[in-house]
Amino acid sequence: MDLNYAPEDRAFREATRRWFQANTPKVEPKTLAERKAWHRTMYDAGYVGMLWPKEYGGRGATPMQQAIVQDEMARAEAPPPINGLGIGFIGPTIIVHGTEAQKQRYLQKMLTAEEIWCQLYSEPNAGSDLAGLKTRAEDAGDDFFVISGQKIWTSSGPIADWGILLARTDSKVPKHKGISCFLFNMRQPGVDVRPLKQITGSSLFSEVFMTGARAEKSDLIGKLNGGWEIAQTTLGYERGANSLGRVTRYLTAFHHLVRMVKELKRNGKALIDDPVVRAKLGKIFTELEVQRYAALRVLSALSKGEPISAASSITKLSYTEFEKRFFELGVEILGPWGQLMPGSPDDVVEEMSTSSGEPGTFATAYLWSRAGTIYSGSSEIQKNVIGERVLGLPKEVRADRMKG
Amino acid sequence: MDFAFTSDQQLLKSSARAFLDERCKPAAVRLLWEDARGASDAMWKEMAQLGWLGLALPEAHGGSDLGMVETALLLEELGRASYPGPYLPTMLVATAINRVGTDAQKGRWLPAVSSGSARGAVALLDGELSWSPEAITTRASSAGTGWKLSGTKPFVAWAHLADVLLVPARGAEGTTVFLVDPASPGIKQTPVTGMDLATRWVNLTLDGVPVGLDAVLGGLGKGQGVLESMLRMGAVGAAAEMLGAGRRCLDMAVEYAKVREQFGQPIGSFQAIRHKCAEMLLEVENTHAAVYYAAWALDAGADDADLAASVAKAYAGDASRKVCGEAIQVHGGIGFTWEYDLHLYFKRAKALEVQYGDADYHRELITRRVTA
Ligand SMILES: Cc1cc2nc3c(=O)[nH]c(=O)nc-3n(C[C@H](O)[C@H](O)[C@H](O)COP(=O)(O)OP(=O)(O)OC[C@H]3O[C@@H](n4cnc5c(N)ncnc54)[C@H](O)[C@@H]3O)c2cc1C
């Protein structure tokens, strides 16, 4: 056990810190074009696609270096890169399962954010039970499939050029066995993206209607009807860690809270002098710090190439549930001030940050904190996974399993 | 960055588990619950032979020169067994002597602790029931070349078995820590019964207890620093024991949920039970991270070692209470019986919560530090 950072990691951190100090834009990029430009600057400096192999334009870095970059980005309060879904897990999925032609066609432009990607998995009637999806891909004989159906909750849908799509290619076999995975062009006739307004007031996710749209056969990922296995690996990447950066964002928010608590008064005295407030701060900081230790533990395992598979459900459950408690407490301590929303218009924020929410107030962060325990496998689903796969508890009796 | 145990550390842990599974079975713990003194001398000797008592003491004094991580590993296993005895207080006394004691004090006590012939107790709480070293009210009034100590020290764990008592007191020079012979005149010991019979508490009253210059530990008026570092180590140690108690309860709950059937199926297949077990695991794993981070930070002399110790103690207290309590819930009626072993760990965790600074105390330390 040695929790010191290795000398090369410290040196890497120093260099990264200097770069972000020097280059982080003073004015928050607002339009998509501005955000793409900032993304490009980071990419050119080698800070995007850290874990991607060099041959596909990535840095081929270690998990520790990747975590350090995210951590320094959070420390500098730098705007995040865009195309998070693409770079975080769609790209890696193509790297693992894609053909050489697919890699050549898609990876570079994904990394540079010349093309924005979204994830077309969830449907109105297939959320947690994703395998129940109904969008159909019919073999049109020639070189393409015809796609018809509806997706929902699609993040970045309105700005996406491409999507990773799960669709049913065989409806006669058990539900997991008839699904295929496609790379799907969002900019074509027959694709209709309708923004959905979220509880935060912004419209970062959307509905996607596909009627007679086209997916090329050359854009099938993996085997026909082998999409479920691929979805499992993509979910696996999505559950991977933004470990240190997330904690640093919480820490930044905590320091904002402390500043406010020192300034604000209630019952004629500063909040910071109220023993109840002090106890709450101590309790939530305890939890925050434990998130940091747990993140180091995960990083240590990742660095050694240990499989963290099902155990990553513990991490996801832990930080998303913590995040809710953290912002609930912040808003509670702040009282009426905790309710304030920023006046910023929706369309300026294309990407969400799961750790501190949209830039702005505790209120937005508080609202955002309700999302993390729903997407990427809800808390209840994570607990099922932990119970069955980590603790070895018996599977529940489920109607769909009884049908076989 | 390596959060995993070395192979030596793993070996220590598994051999401790094997020893305690054999020698400190629940039945053995129960016998000691009934015992007037509450601990086994034979087991203490065996622990000395295994090298546990000198684990973190210098080789020159019969120890193994290891650190807090190893001590925490052992304490986790001891907590898992609900081991009854003064392991942690003895380690605190010995560590303090090793850190700030005179050569004579080291020579007198360290080999004796390593070999299993001396035990210690720490009288950290004062009559005011404050954990804060500044709040000590026990007096040290000078008398000739020495002092006379007077005051009340409630809830001293295992004082009745101690060969040396560590007693802080306030005098003209400020707060000083004294090594006191429990057989000194003026000391009265009153046993107090808590819910965990594997933790024996004694209320001490000191009425003009004479001590000489050789009893001063770490310098006159230097007590605050000695106490703070002892509280830190005690906090991490207690957190490690609570982790062990929690893990034991989690294991028992999961095993039970696999075999107990109701409504024609194992109760573990009900989400209400499965999700509870998943939440318990989450708490245990987070506690693991907190305990070993803090133990490492103490060994490494990290800047945040004091913060980490408070975090570990505050977190482990809440987490282990929840985990041990939920294990009872998972078991239903059987979990509420005296015969079933769960309450050994449930009570052990609770007894540790109030030692070496309770969660309120540590949270205030944390708040003070992070809002400064
Ligand atoms: C902000 C946000 C962004 C998103 N972005 C995307 C995206 O880009 N692409 C995409 O495809 N999807 C996206 N999603 C959708 C997300 O993956 C789904 O919302 C999620 O899978 C849950 O599905 P559902 O909404 O249909 O809820 P349901 O599955 O209907 O769940 C409702 C409730 O029932 C519980 N439940 C369901 N099944 C079980 C079970 N077996 N045991 C116990 N409890 C159960 C759930 O935990 C939940 O509490 C996003 C969601 C949010 C909130």
Side-chain angles (χ1 to χ4, degrees), chain B residues 84-296:
Chain B
Y87 183 77
L88 181 52
T90 301
M91 292 305 101
L92 292 178
V93 174
T95 306
I97 292 174
N98 184 39
R99 194 165 33 229
V100 298
T102 61
D103 286 345
Q105 288 167 337
K106 290 182 194 172
R108 165 70 188 87
W109 292 112
L110 301 187
V113 167
S114 301
S115 65
S117 58
R119 285 173 276 214
V122 290
L124 289 173
L125 266 184
D126 227 283
E128 305 280 314
L129 283 185
S130 165
W131 284 104
S132 177
E134 302 101 84
I136 284 168
T137 54
T138 296
R139 277 170 296 109
S141 2
S142 45
T145 57
W147 296 266
K148 284 193 185 301
L149 309 181
S150 299
T152 332
K153 296 283 183 185
F155 301 108
V156 183
W158 302 104
H160 63 298
L161 297 188
D163 301 287
V164 54
L165 294 171
L166 200 148
V167 181
R170 188 180 301 285
E173 303 84 0
T175 300
T176 301
V177 173
F178 297 94
L179 296 173
V180 178
D181 178 354
S184 308
I187 295 189
K188 189 163 148 250
Q189 300 204 6
T190 315
V192 179
T193 310
M195 68 172 99
D196 175 30
L197 292 170
T199 303
R200 296 296 172 94
W201 273 321
V202 175
N203 280 357
L204 287 182
T205 47
L206 299 96
D207 184 10
V209 177
V211 285
L213 199 55
D214 59 348
V216 172
L217 180 66
L220 274 177
K222 296 264 164 43
Q224 173 112 4
V226 180
L227 290 173
E228 280 171 357
S229 71
M230 197 157 27
L231 261 176
R232 258 197 303 275
M233 179 177 165
V236 179
E241 275 195 67
M242 291 192 274
L243 169 62
R247 224 183 249 292
R248 176 70 161 249
C249 288
L250 169 65
D251 290 351
M252 289 175 72
V254 169
E255 284 318 303
Y256 191 74
K258 287 178 187 171
V259 297
R260 168 72 177 170
E261 293 196 2
Q262 285 294 284
F263 301 96
Q265 45 189 307
I267 57 168
S269 66
F270 301 129
Q271 285 197 355
I273 296 296
R274 186 143 35 106
H275 287 190
K276 213 184 263 308
C277 291
E279 286 161 16
M280 290 158 70
L281 176 68
L282 168 66
E283 292 298 343
V284 167
E285 293 302 342
N286 277 348
T287 308
H288 175 105
V291 164
Y292 289 103
Y293 183 92
W296 171 82

Side-chain angles (χ1 to χ4, degrees), chain A residues 78-382:
Chain A
I82 49 178
N83 230 5
L85 287 174
I87 293 163
F89 82 95
I90 303 173
T93 303
I94 296 176
I95 291 170
V96 174
H97 298 285
T99 63
E100 200 45 45
Q102 289 167 342
K103 293 176 192 176
Q104 293 307 328
R105 165 63 189 83
Y106 296 114
L107 290 177
Q108 182 69 21
K109 287 192 163 144
M110 181 185 286
L111 212 48
T112 55
E114 278 163 81
E115 290 174 344
I116 304 285
W117 284 73
C118 67
Q119 177 194 25
L120 300 160
Y121 282 15
S122 305
E123 297 183 2
N125 288 313
S128 302
D129 184 12
L130 186 57
L133 58 87
K134 294 215 165 56
T135 294
R136 299 173 65 84
E138 310 248 11
D139 192 334
D142 302 330
D143 44 6
F144 64 96
F145 287 83
V146 175
I147 311 289
S148 300
Q150 185 196 343
K151 296 291 173 177
I152 197 167
W153 322 129
T154 313
S155 299
S156 301
I159 59 168
D161 305 294
W162 288 87
I164 188 168
L165 168 76
L166 289 180
R168 189 157 303 284
T169 35
D170 187 343
S171 49
K172 292 183 199 70
V173 291
K175 60 180 180 177
H176 295 89
K177 304 214 169 91
I179 296 170
S180 299
C181 184
F182 298 92
L183 305 176
F184 180 74
N185 188 348
M186 297 288 286
R187 311 277 186 196
Q188 59 164 312
V191 176
D192 180 15
V193 181
R194 298 182 199 160
L196 288 170
K197 196 164 179 175
Q198 305 174 167
I199 63 171
T200 53
S202 51
S203 304
L204 302 188
F205 62 26
S206 54
E207 291 175 296
V208 177
F209 295 87
M210 295 160 293
T211 20
R214 207 180 141 113
E216 305 306 319
K217 284 194 172 159
S218 59
D219 282 337
L220 176 72
I221 289 262
K223 291 201 203 71
L224 188 67
N225 296 322
W228 185 248
E229 286 68 37
I230 291 173
Q232 295 304 103
T233 49
T234 59
L235 290 173
Y237 283 112
E238 207 176 356
R239 278 173 204 156
N242 167 21
S243 42
L244 297 180
R246 179 185 308 127
V247 175
T248 298
R249 288 202 165 84
Y250 297 144
L251 197 62
T252 306
F254 185 83
H255 290 312
H256 285 313
L257 179 64
V258 168
R259 262 201 301 283
M260 289 186 266
V261 157
K262 284 180 173 170
E263 280 167 19
L264 297 174
K265 286 199 163 103
R266 207 179 302 153
N267 298 326
K269 63 178 177 190
L271 285 179
I272 188 82
D273 295 327
D274 181 340
V276 177
V277 169
R278 296 183 69 78
K280 285 176 178 168
L281 289 175
K283 183 156 166 61
I284 206 68
F285 191 85
T286 299
E287 288 196 45
L288 198 167
E289 196 63 359
V290 171
Q291 290 295 324
R292 187 168 76 83
Y293 309 152
L296 293 177
R297 194 173 173 207
V298 168
L299 259 183
S300 151
L302 280 173
S303 300
K304 289 196 225 166
E306 284 170 18
I308 54 164
S309 52
S312 68
S313 286
I314 302 179
T315 307
K316 200 249 170 187
L317 177 65
S318 179
Y319 78 76
T320 54
E321 292 291 338
F322 162 74
E323 187 171 316
K324 284 196 295 202
R325 289 192 296 276
F326 178 56
F327 289 112
E328 273 167 20
L329 196 103
V331 167
E332 183 185 311
I333 289 175
L334 294 172
W337 295 283
Q339 313 285 308
L340 296 177
M341 296 290 288
S344 57
D346 296 341
D347 56 348
V348 299
V349 198
E350 277 93 7
E351 291 271 314
M352 62 192 170
S353 150
T354 53
S355 39
S356 63
E358 290 162 278
T361 63
F362 260 77
T364 32
Y366 165 75
L367 295 172
W368 258 121
S369 74
R370 303 308 308 188
T373 54
I374 297 172
Y375 61 63
S376 290
S378 69
S379 287
E380 290 72 25
I381 296 300
Q382 304 300 341

Side-chain angles (χ1 to χ4, degrees), chain A residues 389-402:
Chain A
R389 298 202 212 140
V390 184
L391 295 175
L393 287 167
K395 290 197 154 104
E396 68 189 296
V397 179
R398 262 178 21 196
D400 61 343
R401 283 189 185 138
M402 281 172 18

